[in-house]
Amino acid sequence: MDNGSFPSARRSGRAPISRLSVEIISQILKELQDIDPQAVTTARLVCRAFNDLATPLTYATVHINQAIISPSAASRFPQALRNIHIHTRHIVLRSGLDRNLVSHLLNKVQKLRSVRYICLPLLSERPGLTMPDLRWSFICNTGPTYDRWVPSDIYSLTSHDPARIKIHIEGLPIGALDGKHADLYRSVIPSNLLVSLETSMQLTATSEPPRLPCLKELLLESRGLEVFRYRGSGKKTRFYFGEGERRLPAFKELTLRSYEWTHGVEETACHWDFSRIRSLELVSVSVFNFLSSVCLADFAGLHTLRVDDSGADQVQNHHNISSQCRAAAVSILVHHLVRDHIHSLTSLEIITQFEHFPIDALLRHSTTLKDLVFRDQGAFSDDYLPSPTLRLNDLRKLARNMDHLQSLELDMDVLHHKNSTRFLVQLCKFKSLRRLTLNVPTVVDSESAGTESWYTRSASADHTSSYNRQANANRTDSAPDADEKCANKMFEILRRHKSISGTVTSVHVVEWDRVTIKVGGWQSLMVRRVGNEVWRALNKRVVFAKRCFVMERVQAASRPPGTGTGDDVKRDAGKNGEYGVGGDGKYVVREQRYVEMRLGRGHPWPR
């Protein structure tokens, strides 16, 4: 390293990095920031030249907290504040922060372009409210003792032109707003600056579904709104349009969760505008009703599509068709949309019926698709019936054609699938696949839990295998369990054949970054399965139906990701590897924890 400039590589015989232009190195750092933001922060320590290039990227987006806006910050973090003042363009702050302190900081940010405002609930201490009274911080911003910063305070900034600042709002509590707060939107949200809005539904079991006229009026006034993410309660939560009302803004990104889509063709054409749509997510929404009422040609420019109507309420089925026929119709409509109307998808997540969704629709986007979740609606609906699994020939076609696919999630029935090993081997042949998620059933048989046999795997001469469900209710904590044994075997096959695929073929095949095996419908937030006395007994012996195992790649000279944190289950290092289960110096295997929602409790319990 020479006088703080780029490091030289003369001794190694390689071309010094100083030969690269500043623009190229800056672009490399920008790409690196998308992959690993922490790595860009570390790059500042290389030399002064790297520091000059990486610092603006590091401070481009800053999350504001009480420590940064406090009067003592100038003496505690002088350099950080100088960098914020000079380089920051995007501010992220939560509700409840002091108005004067936030405004004082924002006035000094020279390149401010956007503010992301996150609404959080707080325990109100306002006089006249009965304690405890759970309110939202901007709702309580009406008295002199509650002088908190809200998005409309952007107009009070003296050193910025408000018209040049974009406002993003997350967690807007639709369920907390009733008639007496109808004017709250207009008083705290500058609709002419709003470009992104995400709502949050907070309802109890006895709460009435909220009416949405205030939200609709806010959307109609926000003509520059590009991103709208709605979370509803499912029943009677929809927009009601009057004759002659304006159309909603032309969203670029639209997410509807638990929205009762009962709009007809004429109503949709009059009040919804999909001419600019680029990202669409429909979760717990009647996809059949939606696709039957829109013009599919409007979605030609989509790059992201997520479709899951498994949680859609039956009241949304106003066509009076059976659930089986409806599911088949949805699969056919989505297949038609993906194959014949959308030009180039980069991300696709669909839960459909394999028999009504041929993979030709996926191959239509083989040159652009990078992330794919392809699951069947009937997967693991019954513990004792085979679950639909993607056919081996179809998987082979996808592996041959999808050269750019980096992330994949599939279902795999390890209990009844006769070609399980071949299925895993074929997954290793995707050239660019780095992240894989497999949803599998538990191999613990709760009905035969009185036996003392274990899950076993029998492989035949042609390398096919069958998996048999067995269990051991009398297991001890030190004994391996059936699901863990199954997961470790799958990890072993995936590790070995990924390496083989890279050496046998002339085409470069990337290694795994992360492989996740979700057992029994595991989710990061869920209620534990305790359906009968057998499972209660197994739970006491630390045997659960829903679990998650993760294999992550260990970078050279670095600590394996996640180890030593509260999110992982640490295992015996001497027995199972240096870090976690099966650590071999290249990969680490761990069991992922989840947050358990206990019925009757007011808060989640980490498990």
Side-chain angles (χ1 to χ4, degrees):
M1 199 175 299
D2 185 19
N3 295 328
S5 60
F6 292 116
S8 175
R10 295 178 182 175
R11 294 183 181 179
S12 64
R14 299 177 182 176
I17 196 173
S18 57
R19 292 184 180 180
L20 297 176
S21 67
V22 173
E23 291 77 9
I24 292 179
I25 297 176
S26 180
Q27 185 62 34
I28 292 174
L29 291 175
K30 289 180 181 178
E31 297 289 339
L32 178 62
Q33 189 179 39
D34 294 336
I35 301 173
D36 186 1
Q38 185 59 38
V40 177
T41 303
T42 305
R44 298 175 58 204
L45 305 176
V46 174
C47 60
R48 282 196 290 269
F50 266 51
N51 180 66
D52 293 341
L53 294 175
T55 297
L57 297 175
T58 302
Y59 283 89
T61 301
V62 174
H63 292 249
I64 299 300
N65 55 31
Q66 188 62 41
I68 295 178
I69 65 174
S70 66
S72 61
S75 58
R76 297 173 60 192
F77 322 110
Q79 186 59 50
L81 280 180
R82 280 194 293 270
N83 288 330
I84 292 174
H85 297 163
I86 297 173
H87 302 297
T88 298
R89 294 175 176 270
H90 312 288
I91 292 291
V92 181
L93 56 88
R94 60 176 177 80
S95 57
L97 295 177
D98 184 88
R99 172 182 293 172
N100 295 328
L101 296 179
V102 172
S103 298
H104 177 73
L105 176 65
L106 296 184
N107 270 318
K108 292 189 175 182
V109 178
Q110 302 171 11
K111 301 179 180 180
L112 184 62
R113 291 295 177 267
S114 72
V115 175
R116 185 175 301 276
Y117 183 79
I118 303 175
C119 304
L120 296 176
L122 82 164
L123 194 62
S124 174
E125 298 176 356
R126 233 180 112 194
L129 293 179
T130 304
M131 299 292 290
D133 188 0
L134 186 62
R135 293 278 175 162
W136 294 82
S137 55
F138 69 89
I139 290 179
C140 295
N141 193 46
T142 56
T145 59
Y146 273 74
D147 196 13
R148 305 305 182 194
W149 198 90
V150 292
S152 58
D153 290 329
I154 205 74
Y155 291 121
S156 65
L157 300 181
T158 58
S159 60
H160 296 286
D161 178 8
R164 299 181 60 186
I165 300 176
K166 298 179 179 180
I167 300 295
H168 306 257
I169 296 180
E170 297 180 5
L172 188 67
I174 302 302
L177 299 174
D178 51 29
K180 64 182 179 182
H181 295 123
D183 295 332
L184 187 61
Y185 288 108
R186 294 176 178 84
S187 64
V188 302
I189 299 177
S191 58
N192 60 321
L193 305 180
L194 190 62
V195 296
S196 175
L197 177 63
E198 176 181 330
T199 69
S200 173
M201 180 61 63
Q202 299 293 324
L203 290 176
T204 65
T206 58
S207 297
E208 290 292 331
R211 302 181 65 184
L212 304 176
C214 297
L215 178 60
K216 186 186 69 174
E217 290 302 321
L218 175 62
L219 296 180
L220 291 174
E221 292 177 0
S222 306
R223 305 316 300 176
L225 190 64
E226 299 177 351
V227 179
F228 178 50
R229 300 187 178 97
Y230 173 82
R231 182 186 297 273
S233 63
K235 294 182 179 180
K236 300 181 181 179
T237 52
R238 50 156 290 183
F239 296 126
Y240 294 88
F241 299 98
E243 186 176 354
E245 280 191 323
R246 292 181 296 173
R247 301 178 83 187
L248 293 172
F251 305 120
K252 291 183 179 180
E253 298 182 23
L254 175 63
T255 298
L256 296 177
R257 290 176 177 265
S258 299
Y259 180 90
E260 186 185 10
W261 188 279
T262 55
H263 305 296
V265 175
E266 184 178 350
E267 185 180 26
T268 301
C270 290
H271 299 289
W272 292 83
D273 187 351
F274 298 108
S275 60
R276 302 172 63 197
I277 194 72
R278 295 295 179 267
S279 175
L280 176 66
E281 295 188 24
L282 303 175
V283 181
S284 297
V285 174
S286 176
V287 178
F288 180 84
N289 292 353
F290 181 88
L291 294 181
S292 299
S293 63
V294 300
C295 176
L296 298 182
D298 290 341
F299 300 90
L302 277 183
H303 60 71
T304 299
L305 175 63
R306 182 184 181 189
V307 174
D308 178 11
D309 71 342
S310 57
D313 197 282
Q314 290 301 318
V315 299
Q316 300 187 33
N317 181 16
H318 62 268
H319 292 272
N320 297 320
I321 59 177
S322 67
S323 58
Q324 256 188 339
C325 293
R326 177 179 169 275
V330 168
S331 299
I332 295 172
L333 283 172
V334 175
H335 178 269
H336 180 49
L337 172 65
V338 174
R339 186 190 65 180
D340 300 328
H341 292 280
I342 303 177
H343 293 160
S344 56
L345 282 170
T346 59
S347 179
L348 174 62
E349 179 176 347
I350 52 175
I351 301 179
T352 181
Q353 289 186 344
F354 288 160
E355 59 179 322
H356 298 295
F357 198 100
I359 64 167
D360 60 339
L362 303 180
L363 296 175
R364 168 76 170 77
H365 305 274
S366 60
T367 59
T368 58
L369 202 58
K370 294 183 178 180
D371 303 289
L372 174 62
V373 177
F374 190 43
R375 303 190 60 194
D376 194 282
Q377 286 182 342
F380 317 130
S381 58
D382 191 304
D383 287 344
Y384 304 101
L385 294 178
S387 292
T389 300
L390 186 65
R391 293 186 302 177
L392 189 60
N393 287 337
D394 288 342
L395 183 63
R396 185 178 292 111
K397 291 179 182 179
L398 295 180
R400 288 176 179 174
N401 292 278
M402 292 193 168
D403 295 342
H404 304 286
L405 191 67
Q406 299 178 8
S407 176
L408 176 64
E409 180 173 353
L410 296 172
D411 297 321
M412 180 179 175
D413 190 349
V414 295
L415 297 172
H416 305 95
H417 199 283
K418 296 183 179 180
N419 296 313
S420 295
T421 299
R422 290 181 177 179
F423 192 90
L424 294 172
V425 171
Q426 202 61 49
L427 288 171
C428 299
K429 296 183 179 180
F430 284 86
K431 299 174 184 178
S432 303
L433 190 60
R434 298 177 179 271
R435 299 176 299 278
L436 173 66
T437 300
L438 292 175
N439 298 274
V440 302
T442 177
V443 296
V444 177
D445 186 356
S446 62
E447 296 299 325
S448 60
T451 65
E452 295 188 1
S453 56
W454 293 94
Y455 152 82
T456 58
R457 171 183 178 273
S458 58
S460 58
D462 62 350
H463 300 288
T464 62
S465 63
S466 62
Y467 292 82
N468 301 313
R469 175 188 294 172
Q470 296 177 357
N472 182 2
N474 299 319
R475 69 181 288 269
T476 62
D477 292 341
S478 60
D481 61 76
D483 285 324
E484 182 180 311
K485 181 179 179 182
C486 178
N488 283 335
K489 187 62 181 179
M490 295 171 67
F491 288 143
E492 178 187 349
I493 295 173
L494 291 170
R495 283 199 305 262
R496 182 172 69 251
H497 286 276
K498 191 71 163 177
S499 301
I500 293 176
S501 298
T503 55
V504 173
T505 62
S506 58
V507 180
H508 174 68
V509 178
V510 300
E511 296 185 358
W512 299 116
D513 283 343
R514 179 185 177 101
V515 177
T516 303
I517 297 178
K518 298 180 180 179
V519 180
W522 181 94
Q523 297 177 2
S524 58
L525 182 66
M526 64 183 181
V527 178
R528 224 190 309 152
R529 175 178 173 179
V530 288
N532 53 49
E533 294 298 331
V534 176
W535 272 114
R536 289 189 178 92
L538 290 171
N539 291 166
K540 292 180 180 179
R541 293 169 173 81
V542 202
V543 178
F544 302 111
K546 298 182 178 182
R547 302 171 68 184
C548 179
F549 300 93
V550 179
M551 179 181 73
E552 289 180 308
R553 186 181 178 187
V554 181
Q555 301 296 333
S558 67
R559 187 175 181 85
T563 56
T565 69
D567 296 331
D568 311 316
V569 178
K570 298 180 69 175
R571 302 302 177 97
D572 180 34
K575 180 179 180 180
N576 297 310
E578 183 178 2
Y579 300 104
V581 180
D584 59 359
K586 191 173 184 179
Y587 291 97
V588 57
V589 179
R590 58 185 174 84
E591 184 174 353
Q592 182 73 40
R593 290 189 174 187
Y594 66 92
V595 175
E596 179 184 351
M597 296 299 295
R598 294 188 176 182
L599 299 179
R601 301 275 185 172
H603 56 280
W605 293 82
R607 288 289 178 185

